[in-house]
Amino acid sequence: MGRRMLVGMTGTALACALLVGCSGDDADVTGRWLAEQQDGGVTVIDYRDDGSFTAFEGPSRESLEQVDDGTYSLDGARLTFETDAYCREHGGERATYAVNVEADALTYAVQGADPCGARAGLLDGVTYTRQSEQPSSPAPATSAVGPAVTGGGPGGGIPWWNERVFYEVFVRSFADSDGDGIGDLRGLIDRLDHLNDGDPSTDADLGVTGLWLMPVTQSPSYHGYDATDYFTVEEDYGTNADFKALMEAAHARGINVIVDLMLNHTSRDHPWFTESASGPDSPKRDWYVWSDTDPVQTTEWGSPAWHRWGEEYYLGLFWSGMPDLNLRTPAVTEQLYDVARFWLGDLGADGLRLDAVRHLVEDGAVFEGTPETHAWLAAWDDHLDSVDPQALTVGEVWDETSEVVPYVADDEVDIAFEFTVAEGILSSVATATPRPFDEALTTALAAYPAGQFAPFLTNHDQNRVMSRLGDDLEGARLAATALLTLPGVPFVYYGEEIGMTGAKPDELIRTPMQWSSGAGAGFTTGTPWQAPNPDPGSVNVAAQTDDPASLLSHYRRLIRARADHPALRTGDLREVEVSCPDVYGYLRTQPGDQGGPADSVLVLLNFATVAQRGCAVDLAASAVPAGVHAVTDLATDAEAAPLTVADGSIAGYVPVDSLAPRQGLVLAVATD
């Protein structure tokens, strides 16, 4: 079929067309509609209530790809396409159709002519069949600082996740609503305004537009990475209804939510394992990996991979309490497909963070990155596309960039965490030299599909940034500046924005969020499940929220700058030459819409512990138009030196007289 235009419209209520009957109240067409085209392909139309539309195509309903988006208006039975990303480049955006809805059938009739012939070919006289009575996943409302979801496609759209900044939350440690000392979903809802209050006129929220929830399913462990029930929210956190309430509250603020999912293993207490372990004749015997003898294999961490159960042994790569599922068994795969359908469909999550995906299917003593693992994930991704083509999957592949890229490039996950870039940022800050960051970033940009990776600093398995950097506040600022000006989809670990410390064991890097000073740190009115770290009294939200010099304020400014400047979200990155060897720089540029001015941001990072003076920037070719351009520091709103560009080249540009130790400059270049 090729990547032709497909039209999809969103809206919970299109007026019921009166061409063939169906009179009275407006018709409710919420959900997806499908038509089989003459060439055998499939068109899917997804309706929401915000006046936008999204479209998908594929050779079958199991293999759909988002290809178009835009906006529409409705006047009775007349539906007008106001904007259309594909048709903008292929004949014209505006066209009007009469629409007719009868039961589960929707038919279009072009009024006059459609200047976009591809759209007319897919709509005019074609009947679409309703695929679901359930509402489709809502596009988040425009947030305080972030744009609404945008779709990918040949009209120049991009995946919605590239418009987002995600925030990793350990629910147990974030906010306790009932005083039992354990964080819960209602507590998280109560604290959403810290993350994003949904009001574009305010700047007291962090401004994140995505949440990653560490496991929230039933588990016997405090961390939740060993599920005993994939279909029920952990009772310490609340109920399935509480999760739905969280989704509603988050979407109202423009926040997407993804949840952690463990595909490799369950808890040893899971009923599946109990049944499997009951004997060789168990119907679920092959749901896990068993051996009559001890294979005597060790993991890459040096621990035993096999664990004794009576006279037999089972595979448990991470530890004895987490037996590995046997993903070669079709019934196991189908059960995990049901889990995905439940979280994406029934509970409405916007995506999944997939834990430990390089370990899914072993091959003898090889436990990571096997061909069967890649094949299983590719099929898994196809299944998710059939459930929700817009759902995001983020893969945890803790490895070098070259080993991570195939998971993304081969369409097994949408994006993957970039551990090498994370280490490069922190190593450059710690060693006061840009080389580690430069090498890691250069490798990543050359390897991944454009923007399809997830940079971060640390996560729940690593010592926190401030502990890594020895309480170097300016170093933490610099690391944040690097992170939030990079391409890709950045993730921030909870508490990172206020400089919380924490070093292993794991419980001490997952301590309660510090909302205020004093007992309980504002996290609970009771006794916290884990004592907060003994950080200084200034390391909490209350102490930093009104301080413009605080780390929290720095994160807020960076996230707001990213939201305000498409160059920082989705623009090209070109490394610039800087005359000061300890300063690393790059220019981010995003072309303007429909011939409008480009958005350009120059980033300079002084990794040195001493000031750098007279640093000159050179770039042989850029997308910045010729002329003299005003330049503004996005952190302070101060004017930097104007930038002169001749035929796209930048030569000897010195934006400021001096860069302070550990200072990062984020400079907006006015090109209009």
Side-chain angles (χ1 to χ4, degrees):
M1 291 174 59
R3 293 187 59 80
R4 68 184 184 192
M5 186 280 299
L6 293 175
V7 175
M9 294 154 291
T10 56
T12 52
L14 284 176
C16 185
L18 305 178
L19 299 179
V20 198
C22 183
S23 60
D25 295 337
D26 291 350
D28 183 359
V29 295
T30 302
R32 292 194 176 93
W33 300 76
L34 180 147
E36 296 182 356
Q37 302 295 334
Q38 292 182 354
D39 62 4
V42 172
T43 303
V44 170
I45 301 175
D46 192 5
Y47 291 86
R48 298 191 188 92
D49 61 0
D50 63 354
S52 66
F53 69 78
T54 307
F56 310 90
E57 75 165 357
S60 68
R61 68 188 66 193
E62 289 78 25
S63 302
L64 295 172
E65 183 177 9
Q66 182 178 328
V67 296
D68 196 20
D69 57 70
T71 61
Y72 72 92
S73 62
L74 193 73
D75 181 11
R78 297 170 61 85
L79 185 147
T80 299
F81 294 97
E82 303 290 352
T83 66
D84 187 303
Y86 179 88
C87 288
R88 181 182 306 144
E89 307 297 331
H90 296 80
E93 297 184 80
R94 287 181 60 88
T96 298
Y97 285 77
V99 291
N100 179 51
V101 179
E102 286 189 345
D104 289 335
L106 170 63
T107 306
Y108 302 87
V110 67
Q111 302 296 284
D114 188 339
C116 183
R119 176 170 54 199
L122 295 172
L123 291 183
D124 191 24
V126 177
T127 297
Y128 284 71
T129 303
R130 188 192 300 271
Q131 295 301 292
S132 173
E133 294 294 338
Q134 298 300 319
S136 56
S137 301
T142 300
S143 70
V145 297
V149 166
T150 57
I158 57 170
W160 63 261
W161 45 86
N162 283 102
E163 302 283 4
R164 296 294 186 254
V165 174
F166 275 85
Y167 186 87
E168 179 188 358
V169 172
F170 183 33
V171 174
R172 183 172 296 271
S173 282
F174 198 65
D176 171 21
S177 70
D178 57 12
D180 67 354
I182 297 172
D184 47 54
L185 294 174
R186 288 290 171 182
L188 174 55
I189 293 171
D190 292 343
R191 291 291 191 175
L192 281 179
D193 282 350
H194 166 70
L195 303 177
N196 191 323
D197 63 11
D199 185 348
S201 68
T202 65
D203 59 7
D205 55 341
L206 186 59
V208 297
T209 43
L211 289 182
W212 157 27
L213 304 186
M214 290 170 60
V216 293
T217 52
Q218 288 280 357
S219 169
S221 301
Y222 84 93
H223 50 71
Y225 279 98
D226 48 348
T228 54
D229 182 353
Y230 284 104
F231 298 93
T232 307
V233 164
E234 164 60 43
E235 59 188 15
D236 286 341
Y237 298 165
T239 65
N240 290 9
D242 291 332
F243 183 87
K244 290 183 177 180
L246 171 64
M247 293 301 304
E248 181 178 359
H251 282 172
R253 291 165 170 81
I255 301 173
N256 290 97
V257 181
I258 66 174
V259 295
D260 231 317
L261 180 61
M262 295 70 68
L263 300 171
N264 180 72
H265 53 260
T266 68
S267 168
R268 190 171 54 192
D269 296 335
H270 197 294
W272 299 345
F273 184 78
T274 301
E275 185 171 348
S276 180
S278 65
D281 296 330
S282 166
K284 287 187 172 60
R285 184 63 169 182
D286 62 353
W287 283 41
Y288 295 84
V289 184
W290 293 92
S291 174
D292 293 335
T293 60
D294 186 356
V296 194
Q297 294 169 341
T298 58
T299 69
E300 61 185 292
W301 313 286
S303 57
W306 294 84
H307 310 280
R308 186 165 184 164
W309 186 271
E311 299 301 317
E312 299 168 305
Y313 297 84
Y314 64 89
L315 179 64
L317 193 64
F318 288 95
W319 75 295
S320 61
M322 294 178 175
D324 280 32
L325 286 164
N326 184 1
L327 299 185
R328 292 189 177 99
T329 299
V332 175
T333 294
E334 186 56 42
Q335 185 67 70
L336 293 175
Y337 283 2
D338 285 343
V339 171
R341 280 190 286 264
F342 176 75
W343 283 96
L344 298 177
D346 294 4
L347 294 192
D350 297 304
L352 304 168
R353 182 264 186 185
L354 304 178
D355 183 59
V357 292
R358 70 188 184 113
H359 300 292
L360 297 184
V361 186
E362 74 289 344
D363 182 7
V366 179
F367 297 117
E368 56 279 326
T370 65
E372 282 187 271
T373 288
H374 287 285
W376 193 94
L377 274 173
W380 163 267
D381 185 73
D382 290 343
H383 168 70
L384 294 188
D385 286 344
S386 73
V387 175
D388 183 355
Q390 295 193 73
L392 168 64
T393 54
V394 188
E396 184 208 20
V397 185
W398 198 332
D399 211 330
E400 297 297 321
T401 297
S402 60
E403 297 297 321
V404 180
V405 168
Y407 292 85
V408 179
D410 295 339
D411 203 23
E412 299 167 25
V413 296
D414 293 313
I415 59 175
F417 291 110
E418 213 347 282
F419 285 85
T420 305
V421 169
E423 182 59 30
I425 295 172
L426 295 181
S427 292
S428 281
V429 174
T431 60
T433 175
R435 182 174 178 179
F437 177 44
D438 180 11
E439 292 178 348
L441 180 59
T442 300
T443 299
L445 293 178
Y448 287 96
Q452 301 312 298
F453 62 94
F456 67 103
L457 296 178
T458 65
N459 64 24
H460 62 279
D461 287 325
Q462 300 168 304
N463 293 344
R464 284 186 172 271
V465 171
M466 287 297 279
S467 295
R468 278 285 308 270
L469 299 180
D471 295 321
D472 178 1
L473 179 58
E474 295 310 314
R477 292 181 196 274
L478 184 62
T481 303
L483 169 67
L484 291 165
T485 57
L486 288 180
V489 185
F491 280 69
V492 176
Y493 186 37
Y494 82 95
E496 209 162 73
E497 74 273 25
I498 57 174
M500 284 174 56
T501 61
K504 285 180 175 281
D506 287 347
E507 291 86 344
L508 299 186
I509 54 179
R510 305 168 183 174
T511 54
M513 179 68 177
Q514 293 160 203
W515 297 101
S516 60
S517 58
F523 159 74
T524 182
T525 57
T527 302
W529 77 273
Q530 177 75 31
N533 273 324
D535 290 323
S538 61
V539 183
N540 61 74
V541 174
Q544 295 186 28
T545 192
D546 294 325
D547 179 3
S550 68
L551 185 60
L552 175 58
S553 294
H554 184 67
Y555 267 87
R556 287 171 173 168
R557 286 190 294 267
L558 287 169
I559 295 173
R560 198 165 303 276
R562 191 175 182 94
D564 290 342
H565 289 273
L568 291 176
R569 301 192 304 274
T570 57
D572 177 45
L573 184 150
R574 295 194 180 188
E575 182 180 349
V576 299
E577 295 183 19
V578 185
S579 61
C580 301
D582 292 329
V583 177
Y584 187 71
Y586 41 90
L587 181 69
R588 304 290 313 278
T589 304
Q590 175 72 29
D593 291 334
Q594 299 182 354
D599 182 48
S600 297
V601 177
L602 176 64
V603 179
L604 296 176
L605 306 170
N606 177 19
F607 287 99
T609 56
V610 296
Q612 304 290 298
R613 293 178 172 82
C615 299
V617 173
D618 291 274
L619 181 62
S622 76
V624 181
V628 180
H629 306 287
V631 178
T632 305
D633 184 344
L634 292 177
T636 64
D637 293 327
E639 294 297 315
L643 171 65
T644 299
V645 179
D647 296 326
S649 72
I650 299 171
Y653 174 56
V654 181
V656 294
D657 293 335
S658 177
L659 278 166
R662 302 284 207 226
Q663 183 181 5
L665 279 181
V666 185
L667 304 172
V669 180
T671 57
D672 52 359

